[in-house]
Every structure is written in structure tokens, then in C-alpha cells.
């Protein structure tokens, strides 16, 4: 039995609502064990950065992969929230004037616009810390080996050789540190680091929580890789085509900054074909799970067909 | 038998040398497991931020506390390096123009001066991530429960209710977000968050690695609290008295920014007496360890008597 797209959207919204509730709890003013006090300006900035927006695609992937494997524990939701906070930290820092210099995010002022640069830097820093704190907390999983594994994987996906390293390459791709030759291999590596690694983590985290091993783990991991790659090409296509009004953020940025994207190198038609191939790759990776994986097949289609 | 101050200094330098060697390995250009590639500009900025300087007081505390308890494993050195990287991340971000706006650190240009603001933001972000990655890595301790515990403690000491929260309060204390009333309790809370929590973690981490429990753990924890408090008052005294030449960074900053310190509220004489009381507190916390704890007694004296 195939689920319909509308039941996919219903499930996406349901997880997004659960994520919002969980994040509200995590971002309260009240200090926790091991903390002295939480400064209210900082907490306001964190809530501005993390609440009330976004499709919550990363937590959705973690929750749905865990569910597919029969793991319906709250740990997947907490882990998904940790990834979401990490994602939000990267947005807050990337939006800063010295980075991508964006005033608008999800249709609202960016954190440094709503507050100030110093508060935005600290808010991003604290969001990153909180992501690791959540993963290491026994409430996420009773087994410390699982928690330590999640911390290690998220750190590798988001650090020097992952998200942050990818953002460094992305700034360099604008030519601000000297001329760079943009070839396909370089752009693909940049994208795999900047966005792919965290999306792949979101999928793997669900598998880790559900104690998946061997081919089961490898298949889900391959699904995450394909989805991550599809996401970024779709992003390049959207950046070229969509209006700022629909996106809730500035578009056409890459062209303005003279940054080459895969759309430039491949052409729009071939970029779309590559998206389609990646969707097939994702499908075949989860084929062994049968009908149970229908929601993951819907997810990768959602990623390439979304309009924001 | 009491160790002499010169043997304390020899040991401090020995640990600093070990820290340098370990950090050089951790900050190499070569990508590790789970990483795609390490961008060279980012790695240069990280090495600029973390190598070739500093007393390495935090790693020293971790290593010496573990040694006191008979734990001489490389895990203490790795854990100490994680704290040092976290400390370096906070310096890189605090030095940024929108934060404390400092051009000089340890007698060298700050990271945003030697590189640029964007690189400094990303370097700080990556240093934080790397700190958590090191703690979660099996090379730090074979027991995942110990690793998860270290991650959780460091996150709590450095996040919203710790170091980052303290920096937010510190910016607010300059009056940039409206007038603030500086009372003793407020300044003490700010200092405990901004610097005290990480110093206390450095001590506790050694105890965690050595499987200390009960009164043993509590005594070392009390030592760490006293040392942290002593450190900050000594810092306030130094900021008032030392020259930029000796400190290798701008001094007299608090006065320039109209920030009240404990020296203002207590007077110099009473501030010195409080330092002495905290040294006594630290001494009595480690009294049950006898002669073995002599190096920790020397450490707290070093903290209050240092000239940089």
C-alpha cells in the first residue's frame, strides 16, 4: 500500500509540531542541572533562531528512520531536535554581515538584525553547544555508547571536514580569498560538506538509535547520501528560479556573488536529470525495506520538488 | 615533602609541551574518519588560534588531577586538549570586532586580524566542534559512559548557563543593552559562568577520568570552584595593574568600558584578601589528599600570583 502525498505532508507537519514543542522545552529560561543561570537576552535570541519556522526536515528524517526500524522512543525526537539546533546555529552564523550578510530568514529578520552581531555570534555558539548537550544526555538514550556515538558522528558531520569546512569553501568560492577554479568535483565536495553531511547524519542517527547494523545500516546510509546530494542540487535550481517572496529569504545569491553552481556547469536540464537519478538512487537504497520505507521515498521527492 | 615552585613550573611547562604536541596532531590538514576534506585556510586559522601560546592551565589541571588519583593514561591529555580548544574558541569569538574588539592576543594578532572576520567565526565554530569530537572519541577513554559524561559536563559548563551565557552577561555589563546595576552577587555570578565553570570542569574532568566518587570527587570539585573564583579576581587585579606589554593583550579594558569589577566594589586590598581566602579554601579542599596534592596547592598559588 502506497501512502499518498497528503499523508506524507500530514506526517511532516506532525513531526514539525512535536519538534516545536520539544524545542520550546529545551529553550526555556530556566537553568538546568550544571548551569548557573540563563541570560534572558540570549534565550530570546535562541528562541528567535530556533522556534516558529522551518520544515524541520532533519528531525523528520531521524524520527522516520527510527520508526521504520520499529524504534518509536522519544530519543529520536530529541536527537532530531539536536540536529535542528545545530542547523539553526549554522544559519545564524552564516547570515552574519561578515559571512553571507542576510537580513531575512524564513520571512523574518535574521538574528543579528533582530538583536545585534554579538548576540547572534553567542546565540549560534550556544545552539551548537546545546545540540551536543542534548545528544550526551541520558534522556536521549539509556545506553551511553549510543550517546557517545551520536556525538562523535554529529561532530564529524558538522566540523572541519563537514558543515563548517564546507562553509569555508563556500566563502572561498566567492573569490574573496583569491581566484578559485570551480570544477564539478570541487562543487560536489563543497556541497557534500556544507549540507550533505548533516542530512546524512539525520538519517544515520535514526539508524544508530534503532541499533541498525550491517546492510540495514549501509542501505539507510546510502539513502541519506543520495537525499543530501539531491537536496543541494534542488537548492541550486531553486536559488536560480524562485522569488524571494516565496523563499522567505534572498534568492539569486549565487549568481550575484559570481559563485558557480552545478546548474551553471551542467545546465538546468542536466541538473534536473541528476536530481531524478538521485531520487532513483535513494529509492533503490531503501528498496529492501519494502512498503515500510514509502515515507522515505516520499521524503526524497519532497526534497527535490519543494518550492522553498 | 613539599615540591618547590621551580619543580611546579617545570611540570607546568612539561604538560604545556605535551599539549602542544597533541594539538599539532589534532590540527593537521589531513582529514579523519567521517570527514570529507579539511580546507587549508580554516586549518591555518585554527592553528593560529590554538598553537604556540598560553600557559595551558586548563589541560594542566585535568592532567594533574588524574595523576593525583593514579590515572596517567593519555585520555587526560586528550581531555585537557579538548578544554584548551574550547577555551581557544571562546577567545577567538570574544576578540571579534562586534564583541570585545581586540587586535592582540598572546602578543600576536588575533585570528580576525591575521585572517578575517568570517574565517575567525568559522574557526571558533570548528574549535568548539573539535572539542566535543575529541571527548566522544574512543581514544579518550574506552568506556563510553565516561565519554558521554565528559561531553555533557563540558556542554553545561560552556553553554547557556556557563561560559557563553557569562560572555552575554559581560557584554550587557558594559551597558550596551541598557543600564545595568552591578552588584557583587551579579558580578560573581557572571564570573562563575564566564571563566569559573570551565576551570571547574578542567578539574572535574580529571576526577571523572580517574573514576573518583563520593567525597573524593566532591573535594576536588570544591578545589576547582575555589581555583576558578580565585582566577577571576586575580584577573581583575591584573587588568587594573599590569601593562599591555607584559600581558601580551590590551589591559585596563574593564575601566575603559565602564564595567564594574570586584576590585571596584571591594577595593584592591579586600580583593587581595579574598584571593588569599580562596587559596585557603582550595588548600583545605585538597587537604585529605596529603602531600600528593602539593602540585594542586602550587597551582592555585600560581593562578593568583601570575603576572600574565
Amino acid at each position: 500500500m502506497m501512502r499518498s502525498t497528503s499523508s506524507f505532508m500530514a506526517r511532516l507537519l506532525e513531526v514539525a509540531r512535536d519538534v516545536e514543542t520539544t524545542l520550546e522545552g529545551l529553550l526555556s529560561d530556566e537553568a538546568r542541572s550544571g548551569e548557573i543561570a540563563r541570560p534572558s537576552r540570549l534565550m530570546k535570541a535562541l528562541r528567535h533562531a530556533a522556534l516558529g519556522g522551518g520544515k524541520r526536515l532533519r528531525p523528520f528524517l531521524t524520527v522516520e528512520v527510527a520508526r521504520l526500524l520499529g524504534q518509536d522512543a522519544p530519543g529520536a525526537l530529541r536527537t532530531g531536535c539536536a540536529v535542528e539546533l545545530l542547523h539553526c546555529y549554522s544559519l545564524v552564523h552564516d547570515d552574519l554581515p561578515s559571512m553571507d550578510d542576510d537580513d531575512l530568514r524564513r520571512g523574518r529578520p535574521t538574528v543579528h538584525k533582530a538583536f545585534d552581531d554579538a548576540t547572534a555570534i553567542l546565540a549560534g555558539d550556544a545552539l551548537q553547544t546545546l545540540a551536543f548537550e542534548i545528544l550526551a544526555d541520558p534522556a536521549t538514550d539509556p545506553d551511553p555508547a549510543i550517546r557517545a556515538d551520536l556525538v562523535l558522528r554529529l561532530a564529524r558531520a558538522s566540523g572541519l571536514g563537514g558543515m563548517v569546512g564546507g562553509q569555508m569553501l563556500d566563502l572561498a568560492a566567492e573569490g574573496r580569498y583569491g581566484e578559485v577554479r570551480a570544477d564539478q568535483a570541487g562543487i560536489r565536495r563543497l556541497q557534500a560538506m556544507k549540507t550533505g553531511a548533516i542530512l546524512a547524519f539525520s538519517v544515520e542517527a535514526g539508524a544508530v538509535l534503532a541499533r541498525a547494523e550491517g546492510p540495514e545500516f549501509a542501505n539507510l546510509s546510502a539513502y541519506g547520501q543520495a537525499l543530501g546530494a539531491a537536496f543541494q542540487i534542488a537548492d541550486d535550481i531553486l536559488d536560480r528560479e524562485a522569488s524571494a517572496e516565496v523563499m522567505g529569504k534572498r534568492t539569486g545569491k549565487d549568481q550575484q556573488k559570481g559563485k558557480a553552481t552545478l546548474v551553471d556547469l551542467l545546465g538546468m536540464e542536466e541538473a534536473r536529470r541528476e536530481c531524478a537519478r538521485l531520487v532513483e538512487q535513494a529509492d533503490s537504497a531503501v528498496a529492501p525495506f519494502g512498503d515500510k520505507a514509502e515515507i522515505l521515498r516520499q521524503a526524497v521527492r519532497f526534497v527535490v520538488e519543494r518550492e522553498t
Side-chain angles (χ1 to χ4, degrees), chain A:
Chain A
M1 195 196 70
M2 301 278 275
R3 289 180 197 226
S4 70
T5 306
S6 70
S7 81
F8 168 82
M9 286 307 297
R11 184 67 194 140
L12 184 67
L13 290 171
E14 195 182 325
V15 174
R17 202 197 52 211
D18 292 346
V19 166
E20 192 76 12
T21 310
T22 307
L23 289 179
E24 270 166 12
L26 290 162
L27 297 174
S28 82
D29 279 318
E30 208 180 313
R32 307 301 161 82
S33 155
E35 292 180 348
I36 299 167
R38 295 183 158 193
S40 68
R41 180 181 177 84
L42 187 59
M43 296 314 301
K44 281 194 191 88
L46 263 80
R47 286 194 290 264
H48 183 94
L51 296 182
K55 295 174 286 290
R56 312 300 193 186
L57 175 65
R58 290 158 193 80
F60 177 78
L61 291 168
T62 306
V63 167
E64 289 304 327
V65 168
R67 257 166 62 101
L68 164 70
L69 301 167
Q71 171 80 291
D72 223 347
L77 187 58
R78 282 180 57 91
T79 301
C81 286
V83 194
E84 187 68 13
L85 292 174
L86 195 110
H87 174 58
C88 291
Y89 122 65
S90 77
L91 299 180
V92 173
H93 281 187
D94 288 0
D95 286 340
L96 284 165
S98 60
M99 304 266 270
D100 295 347
D101 194 15
D102 274 312
D103 298 349
L104 206 59
R105 167 73 63 189
R106 291 171 182 166
R108 293 187 308 155
T110 47
V111 176
H112 69 273
K113 277 286 167 189
F115 296 84
D116 66 328
D117 290 8
T119 304
I121 293 167
L122 292 174
D125 290 346
L127 287 166
Q128 176 175 187
T129 319
L130 186 56
F132 288 112
E133 181 182 339
I134 292 166
L135 295 183
D137 191 306
T140 296
D141 196 285
D143 183 354
I146 295 290
R147 304 199 302 272
D149 189 27
L150 290 172
V151 170
L152 191 56
R153 284 174 189 273
L154 184 61
R156 286 176 175 166
S158 69
L160 299 168
M163 186 184 75
V164 170
Q167 174 66 3
M168 184 84 254
L169 293 177
D170 208 23
L171 294 176
E174 293 170 12
R176 55 166 98 180
Y177 307 122
E179 212 175 313
V180 282
R181 202 170 60 88
D183 58 10
Q184 266 201 52
I187 296 175
R188 283 176 199 277
R189 188 170 59 239
L190 185 165
Q191 294 184 344
M193 289 166 73
K194 191 179 172 184
T195 11
I198 294 293
L199 285 162
F201 171 84
S202 307
V203 170
E204 282 184 4
V208 168
L209 285 161
R211 277 69 173 165
E213 285 181 336
E216 203 174 53
F217 191 91
N219 285 329
L220 287 166
S221 186
Y223 167 83
Q225 303 286 338
L227 179 137
F231 183 95
Q232 189 61 52
I233 300 191
D235 228 35
D236 285 353
I237 295 172
L238 267 173
D239 185 73
R240 183 66 57 87
E241 295 197 330
S243 70
E245 202 184 342
V246 173
M247 291 286 277
K249 62 179 181 184
R250 192 151 52 85
T251 54
K253 287 190 293 188
D254 294 334
Q255 269 186 308
Q256 272 171 36
K257 295 187 176 175
K259 255 194 299 197
T261 71
L262 282 182
V263 175
D264 295 315
L265 295 187
L266 302 175
M268 186 59 89
E269 210 175 319
E270 178 56 24
R272 287 193 197 284
R273 271 197 295 270
E274 176 150 344
C275 257
R277 277 194 298 270
L278 288 165
V279 169
E280 275 172 43
Q281 255 182 49
D283 279 357
S284 77
V286 295
F289 297 99
D291 282 354
K292 277 195 304 175
E294 180 56 24
I295 199 151
L296 297 185
R297 284 188 280 272
Q298 297 269 2
V300 69
R301 283 166 179 76
F302 172 75
V303 157
V304 301
E305 288 161 13
R306 76 205 144 97
E307 288 176 352
T308 62

